[in-house]
Amino acid sequence: MLGWLLERAAKTKGSEDDRKALASGITVTALKIAKPEQMPQVKAAVDKYGTQLEKDIYALVDKQLKACGDRVACYMAALQKGESQDRATQFAGIKAGYMIGILGNEQNRDEIVAGIDSVTNASVRYVAAQVIDHLSPKGSKDAAKKLNAVIVKNAKSPDREKSSGDSPLKQVMYRLDARAGERRVMSSLRLEVVSGSQAGRIFEADLDVVRVGRSAESDLVLPDAHVSSEHARIVSSVDGFVLEDLDSTNGTWLTRGSQQFSLGEGSRTIALSPGDRLELGGQGSEGTELRLDFALDPDRLEVALVRPLHELGISALGDTRIG
């Protein structure tokens, strides 16, 4: 993989700016995945394509590889180390995460889960979440339960950064839970837009995740001013669907019979039931209302299907943010 990346950087065509941008990105990716014996190749690429930023990152990576070699315990300590949470030196934590993903096992996954509170840098926390996912090919109910406890605790914290930083952990939690067991087969999710500019529209999907928002990249696009670009998403879990507010500006509400729930006051997720009514960006005439429907087939079971890491591309195990 690393050889192919560096070869691609050398053969890239296009404008000088495009070549430089791609070569720089490839060099950073090479630094993430390089093993100690591959560092001479990476050094040559850094010298040829790298700016001062890539050269500084190389120094961090080289120092860490020389210190840890193939010892996972050393990388575990580096992942949680205080200086790895600092923005200026966060790539040390990112690199440690990658090496754990390359060298580690399920026991190391459990160690990351147990110490996730010490990983406070958003980029490093993202990588840690993806490593947990990567080291859990069969899922884990126990790891999912422990991640959920962390997410619930942080949702109650007055520090909003703690809960917003748990978004990648939520995704991994759902995936681990789904992989670990069987689930009832659900019919396609059906959303009817009751009010707003798209009133009357029917949206049906058979997806693991349905993104709802004003952005054109959403699965269900709602071009209303009170709806955030990335407002909410509906995730297929083991026993049904879960609604998650994505830290929207104007909020999300759920009505179930005579009960009403506001997402964001202590928790941004809630399990869904057929017939639930969702209000995005406001209540009544101030928001956009959706009516939700799906059904469960009690006579059938299926093992949840989750795409393996290699199908997600090389950027799946980590965040490309480096500064």
Side-chain angles (χ1 to χ4, degrees):
M1 172 66 78
L2 186 137
W4 174 83
L5 282 172
L6 298 180
E7 182 182 356
R8 183 180 176 189
K11 293 182 177 180
T12 298
K13 297 180 180 180
S15 69
E16 183 178 356
D17 287 344
D18 288 344
R19 291 199 306 272
K20 284 183 177 179
L22 180 60
S24 175
I26 287 176
T27 301
V28 171
T29 299
L31 284 162
K32 290 179 179 179
I33 65 175
K35 298 178 181 178
E37 64 270 19
Q38 297 171 318
M39 287 302 283
Q41 290 175 268
V42 178
K43 178 65 163 60
V46 170
D47 289 342
K48 185 175 182 179
Y49 307 117
T51 65
Q52 188 59 48
L53 176 62
E54 283 79 34
K55 291 175 182 178
D56 290 344
I57 291 173
Y58 174 86
L60 284 173
V61 169
D62 189 52
K63 179 181 178 181
Q64 188 167 92
L65 288 178
K66 287 178 178 177
C68 293
D70 61 357
R71 293 180 295 119
V72 180
C74 181
Y75 293 113
M76 289 292 302
L79 179 72
Q80 300 175 16
K81 201 172 181 180
E83 67 182 58
S84 295
Q85 314 312 313
D86 293 338
R87 186 176 180 83
T89 51
Q90 66 183 14
F91 206 90
I94 292 171
K95 178 60 179 177
Y98 269 81
M99 294 307 295
I100 297 168
I102 292 169
L103 302 171
N105 54 33
E106 291 185 354
Q107 179 181 339
N108 302 127
R109 173 206 65 200
D110 293 341
E111 292 171 358
I112 296 175
V113 172
I116 196 67
D117 277 341
S118 63
V119 182
T120 56
N121 178 286
S123 296
V124 181
R125 198 173 177 89
Y126 177 90
V127 173
Q130 300 309 305
V131 173
I132 292 169
D133 189 20
H134 177 59
L135 296 178
S136 308
K138 297 180 180 179
S140 170
K141 293 282 188 182
D142 183 62
K145 182 179 179 180
K146 290 177 179 177
L147 286 177
N148 185 60
V150 172
I151 293 165
V152 170
K153 180 186 70 174
N154 288 342
K156 296 177 181 178
S157 170
D159 184 354
R160 292 289 297 277
E161 290 188 6
K162 282 192 173 182
S163 58
S164 62
D166 281 343
S167 180
L169 291 183
K170 292 177 184 177
Q171 297 180 44
V172 172
M173 176 189 71
Y174 295 138
R175 290 165 66 85
L176 266 58
D177 198 34
R179 284 195 198 121
E182 296 179 323
R183 68 180 180 190
R184 291 173 286 176
V185 175
M186 291 171 286
S187 67
S188 296
L189 178 70
R190 184 180 189 273
L191 292 169
E192 177 186 354
V193 184
V194 178
S195 65
S197 63
Q198 300 295 298
R201 181 181 176 187
I202 303 294
F203 176 87
E204 293 185 322
D206 187 14
L207 301 171
D208 284 338
V209 179
V210 174
R211 300 166 298 169
V212 182
R214 202 174 65 248
S215 168
E217 296 181 357
S218 299
D219 300 302
L220 174 56
V221 179
L222 299 173
D224 299 322
H226 48 263
V227 175
S228 295
S229 295
E230 297 179 357
H231 196 104
R233 65 183 169 196
I234 297 173
V235 180
S236 175
S237 69
V238 175
D239 293 312
F241 290 101
V242 175
L243 172 68
E244 178 184 1
D245 179 273
L246 299 176
D247 200 19
S248 64
T249 301
N250 296 318
T252 302
W253 289 263
L254 180 146
T255 301
R256 180 178 299 151
S258 60
Q259 295 181 298
Q260 189 170 73
F261 306 89
S262 175
L263 276 67
E265 297 178 1
S267 176
R268 291 190 176 274
T269 61
I270 188 170
L272 293 170
S273 296
D276 283 347
R277 301 171 76 91
L278 316 179
E279 291 179 291
L280 279 60
Q283 295 180 276
S285 61
E286 296 181 357
T288 297
E289 183 179 340
L290 307 176
R291 184 183 294 115
L292 176 144
D293 194 22
F294 62 92
L296 297 172
D297 186 341
D299 298 323
R300 295 172 58 206
L301 289 172
E302 70 173 8
V303 175
L305 298 177
V306 182
R307 288 188 300 167
L309 184 72
H310 71 268
E311 292 183 9
L312 302 177
I314 56 174
S315 64
L317 186 60
D319 193 345
T320 56
R321 295 170 290 181
I322 59 174

